[in-house]
């Protein structure tokens, strides 16, 4: 395998789409967004054939141009997926690479007064655009979503909220079980905020004034700021942290707004939606950071408590997920088995 | 300073006291307990003089015989305290070294159906015994309590519960702000319990069958088991963990029983008791583990919110605490200033 | 700053050059190599103007296509450099991005029986090719080389060996002082090789059979194998490790071959060459791994012991290096001052 | 097992012996040294019986009074050994607890111009004193030595140097293979010395002026200073570090003096002595720090290359070693098997 480049059997089209829903978003991020659409080998040769579509979303600080990144001895995801279709390991599918970047590094794929309407952008603008411009099978039974980390979170909640659009999900190390996922981070944040008198905006000013990610605080506080903007912005868009930044004490009402977005806690509420899905793939990840050992199990259990009957064969999604994360990075829970 | 031994200016008497309250305790621990009492230089020469008393309690897995441990280049606590009195840096005091060991490694100095009545043992048996056998000033104004870690927790709650007995406290890195102090530990515990099918009793059997503290799980699960026994045992003494050991999800009712013992949350309820104290010394510790940065501030702030007027000169306690923890191990908050 | 793309003021031309010297190299790596040449803004408008050239080489496991990688909140190096020229902060220069990738992840920019003639490829093929195809000032006084880590090593040794070609160097965290740079790695390697019966080829087979960098051994053993191939291959190309892989004992004769490539030890031998340089920039790096604290100082001191008179103004090189590594990642030693 | 105390079946006599050889030692350490001698159960009842003797020496910063230290859930070594004899698991033996403390924290059990004649003290004063005051079998065949870490080093070299005195050894995680054991420490030391302008004596002054072991530098620089005093003091006692404290470059001649004390390198020179031993027990330790994985194997291999015929049954030594280190702390190499 040569490291410099690879030929795809299929093709990636790089588009810019103009979003009405993101226009005038609170952070002033562009409403013109990159959108990549991959078509599998044979797409052009069989002009009447329609294809299922897999939407791929990214983890925190990810943006769509990073799918092009290369590193030694590893094949980028888009090439892995292409090879799967080229080798006949999975039935051909259209793969949609969605960008939901914000100035804070991410959107958690929710509609928020703090960042913008990224959930609606995905569901009400990107999906129709893709269906209009590509030969998809425009039904939830043939539309899946997958992602890792924050993208894994998005892949869990989007079909819960919109089972009419997405009929399958694959989540890899998605954020869940927030007491273990986030509370240890809050303790770290309080310590790091001491250098900024407990004021996250002083850190933000500092962060933007210099080369990024050269301080330990950067990755922790960026995500804290961004997720707070997604989950607990006030009506007027003001960001509220879920804890007192000087003492670390939880602010119960703000924290509850976060918990309302915890997939483990959402699962019972959205049990009907989950049961309607064609396929659920949960890959718990292996490199569980210290203190996070518990979160994955909770995630899986919550899903297991709300099972569904197996109706359709698992689509390309599961194979895609397996191939993409085949690094042995965790215990894989396949659902349906 | 020679490392092997030291002469004390005062004297330590090593007693065994028989506790009625610990008899038949749930863990079958001895009701005969070691109790060390230090008398300062001059105690025997001035037979009519009475002294204030400082009660010293230990951190988790500590037992009273460990006060005798020596290590290179460091003076043991009892010798530091003795030097303080010998040098006239503090007015002479009686120092009482209390043992509250249990088979699980500690008692948190509370009365518990899971471990025994260690709070009452300390307050209703040890204190009267010391007052009966030594020339103390038997009033709360001249009785203080101090400790580190779990002992620091005990030093916070004991005067809250019994301001009639203790008139001053010094706490070093005491457990508080439980979301940061304990929740990260629960995540770790869930991960470690995987090797035991989520059953902490399987770990306990393993732990007792081999040389201790040779597995990463040991220190984490021992403390989890012990603190659960202290805070959340059922009426019949059965230990309940505050989370599901397989998923990590908090069990809100059990967790609430822990929170009821959080000094930061107790402080408002016991504001009257706290305000009545002669002196409060809070030393936050420096080696705050990752993710725990927040807990100390909360602890201090809670106390500050419930101030008291300064009535009496600070007794030997604060000096003892300062000297004992003079390693520069933290920001020291002196109260009253 | 938008994360997805950037317009350059200048232009990067991506070439493939065919190397005679790399043909039939021991690892079967391609003799057709990517080579990127950047021309600054104005290059096309001033067809008679000639430019100094800065050669940029990469760290271990780097290959030229990785210069295109993007990440959140950070500007890729080629864009930083372009901005420098566009803003007039540095006099315009041609920047040459050289690829010296091998199947083992790197070449250390030396000629080796184990990997190939990458030093000669750079000096005798790339430099003349660039001079022939671009309007460079084809003299050492106007040709510089820079790199980080293994690239920083290459940037030190290449001008020592070929002061006729390169008149300036900038090195960032370059490998040097090999007792501290490598011996701790050898101990780690012995431990990691236990899973492979001390046979690095068993690891290599394992490494190539699965997703890379999913085991702790991977990064350590890859670099060990690769650097051994560069520094201590036998006449027939067989790789010799500088220590017994089962006991860790140094093999003095093989280890000496490594030491012969230690820039700190080379400096006295190449003092004349070093003194002839226009500019030397040494940036020691900040994230010195544990146990490596010493190596940087040695590197700098060795250079200081062999100073040179200051002849010419520092070219764009130093500014490029400063901008590229402006993350505050270390004490920067500028030479000449 | 109660944590506070234990009754011994045998008896420990605590002596103070006056050493002629340590009188006037360079560090001004006392010539009066504590010496503990344990006699097994039955010693007083069988006044004509003679016993083999096991000499136990300590790791760096250890002193004899630390054998009395207690901790939770663990039995101190002297009690483990006593239980072994009481239970009949090992034939009864006298156990001698030797103190070789110095102001720098240890002596490495060698004769040194920098610290004193601790090797001779052990061999020419302690051994005869014990033989004169206790009913030992005063021959090398019945005299063994054991220790951990620096004590493990001492247990290796003492019988090499004095096979006439010691006929068996057990070493646990003893210092050996110095390139891996020490060179990584030197890199760390250079980094830590930056805060002291590269002057270890400035650190020493700082260390003695405050509570010890509150800075990262303390443990590293103390051992560096102490071992340098043991291995590479000049004729006049001046301590020489084996590297340039500002650059980290090895000083080959000083470093060679250290290597001359490397048990792996000593083994061939002392092969005759090693072959004459009754028993060799090498326990490699498990918690090999990062980067030290190699040292243990080298140690074992060096011994294996110089085997001996098995003449006598293994004495109590091996059992003592096994029991003392039964924590599963490593692969145990028993010799003879």
């Amino acid at each position: 395998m040569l490291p410099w480049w690879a030929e795809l059997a299929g093709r990636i089209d790089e588009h810019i789409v103009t979003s009405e829903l993101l226009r005038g978003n609170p952070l002033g991020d562009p409403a013109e967004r990159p959108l990549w659409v991959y078509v599998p080998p044979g797409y052009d040769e069989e002009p009447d054939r329609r294809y299922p579509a897999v939407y791929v979303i990214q983890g925190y600080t990810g943006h769509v141009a990073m799918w092009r990144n290369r590193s030694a001895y590893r094949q980028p995801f888009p090439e892995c997926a292409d090879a799967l279709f080229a080798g006949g390991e999975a039935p051909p599918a259209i793969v949609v690479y969605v960008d939901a970047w914000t100035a804070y590094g991410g959107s958690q794929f929710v509609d928020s007064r703090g960042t913008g309407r990224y959930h609606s952008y995905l569901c009400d603008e990107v999906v129709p655009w893709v269906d209009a411009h590509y030969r998809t099978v425009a039904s939830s039974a043939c539309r899946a979503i997958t992602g890792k980390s924050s993208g894994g979170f998005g892949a869990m909640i989007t079909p819960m909220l919109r089972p009419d659009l997405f009929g399958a999900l694959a989540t890899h190390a998605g954020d869940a079980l927030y007491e273990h996922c986030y509370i240890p981070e809050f303790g770290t944040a309080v310590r790091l905020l001491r250098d900024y008198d407990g004021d996250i905006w002083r850190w933000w000013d500092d962060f933007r004034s210099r080369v990024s990610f050269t301080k330990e605080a950067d990755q922790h506080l960026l995500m804290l700021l961004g997720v707070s903007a997604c989950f607990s912005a006030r009506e007027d868009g003001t960001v509220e942290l879920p804890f007192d930044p000087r003492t670390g004490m939880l602010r119960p009402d703000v924290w509850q707004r976060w918990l309302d977005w915890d997939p483990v806690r959402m699962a019972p509420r959205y049990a009907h939606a989950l049961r309607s899905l064609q396929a659920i793939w949960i890959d718990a990840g292996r490199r569980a950071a210290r203190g996070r050992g518990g979160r994955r199990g909770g995630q899986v259990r919550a899903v297991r408590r709300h099972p569904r009957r197996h109706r359709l064969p698992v689509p390309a999604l599961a194979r895609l997920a397996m191939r993409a994360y085949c690094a042995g990075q965790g215990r894989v829970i396949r659902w349906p088995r």
Side-chain angles (χ1 to χ4, degrees), chain A:
Chain A
M1 182 177 77
L2 290 181
W4 303 293
W5 53 72
E7 294 295 320
L8 295 182
R11 185 183 78 236
I12 291 178
D13 298 334
E14 302 191 9
H15 303 280
I16 305 280
V17 298
T18 299
S19 165
E20 291 306 313
L21 293 167
L22 297 182
R23 191 178 308 282
N25 63 71
L27 299 178
D29 288 311
E32 289 72 36
R33 310 294 294 204
L35 179 72
W36 293 6
V37 182
Y38 165 89
V39 296
Y43 183 87
D44 296 324
E45 288 72 32
E46 299 181 71
D48 296 329
R49 184 168 175 181
R50 301 193 84 84
Y51 297 84
V54 179
Y55 286 72
V56 183
I57 55 182
Q58 293 173 297
Y60 215 76
T61 73
H63 61 75
V64 79
M66 289 170 65
W67 288 119
R68 207 187 276 116
N69 289 359
R70 309 193 72 80
S71 68
Y73 301 105
R74 285 212 167 176
Q75 203 172 5
F77 179 93
E79 295 172 21
C80 287
D82 177 71
L84 209 63
F85 300 125
E89 289 180 70
I94 286 167
V95 182
V96 183
Y97 296 94
V98 181
D99 186 282
W101 166 265
T102 75
Y104 292 161
S107 67
Q108 298 297 87
F109 311 97
V110 301
D111 285 350
S112 154
R113 302 254 181 200
T115 56
R117 304 187 60 190
Y118 288 89
H119 168 72
S120 297
Y121 166 64
L122 168 58
C123 293
D124 297 332
E125 292 188 327
V126 173
V127 169
W129 190 95
V130 171
D131 287 342
H133 293 78
Y134 287 87
R135 298 195 310 276
T136 57
V137 183
S139 91
S140 68
C142 292
R143 196 182 291 111
I145 187 164
T146 184
K148 182 178 69 126
S149 193
S150 283
F153 166 77
M156 285 189 277
I157 62 156
T158 308
M160 288 195 213
L161 298 171
R162 297 297 300 270
D164 59 310
L165 286 186
F166 291 97
L169 72 86
T171 174
H172 175 73
D175 309 329
L177 205 57
Y178 283 4
E179 52 269 62
H180 297 299
C181 179
Y182 285 121
I183 287 182
E185 280 295 304
F186 297 165
T188 301
V190 172
R191 177 172 57 78
L192 294 167
L193 281 167
R194 282 183 195 151
D195 289 341
Y196 301 93
D197 288 336
D199 182 351
I200 199 164
W201 298 110
R202 289 190 51 186
W203 165 79
W204 179 242
D205 288 345
D206 175 40
F207 178 72
R208 289 194 300 179
S209 71
R210 55 175 168 79
V211 174
S212 61
F213 299 112
T214 51
K215 295 189 177 176
E216 181 198 0
D218 291 357
Q219 61 165 331
H220 296 283
L221 298 185
L222 179 69
M223 190 151 182
L224 171 65
L225 177 59
V227 178
S228 295
C230 297
F231 289 166
S232 54
R234 289 191 207 135
E235 284 292 300
D236 66 359
T238 311
V239 175
E240 285 202 278
L241 301 185
F243 57 89
D244 180 319
R246 285 180 182 77
T247 65
M249 285 203 81
L250 288 177
R251 292 166 169 161
D253 52 331
V254 188
W255 174 233
Q256 186 59 49
R257 296 183 65 189
W258 286 51
L259 292 177
D260 290 344
W261 279 115
D262 183 348
V264 168
R265 290 169 167 87
M266 291 172 73
R269 279 185 280 143
Y270 294 92
H272 188 72
L274 285 168
R275 282 196 200 97
S276 76
L277 299 185
Q278 306 296 326
I280 294 175
W281 171 284
I282 299 176
D283 177 340
R286 187 173 65 180
R287 289 196 216 151
R290 196 185 70 83
R292 297 194 178 179
R295 92 188 203 202
R296 321 297 183 175
Q299 178 182 348
V300 173
R301 173 149 312 197
V303 169
R304 279 208 183 127
R305 280 207 192 105
H306 305 283
R308 47 168 294 285
R309 279 172 303 132
H310 183 184
R311 282 193 230 145
L312 293 184
V314 179
L317 169 74
R319 284 180 174 278
L320 258 184
M322 179 156 12
R323 182 62 177 267
Y325 303 132
C326 64
Q329 290 175 325
R331 300 179 306 169
V332 171
I333 292 89
R334 189 194 291 241
W335 185 269
R337 299 185 223 218

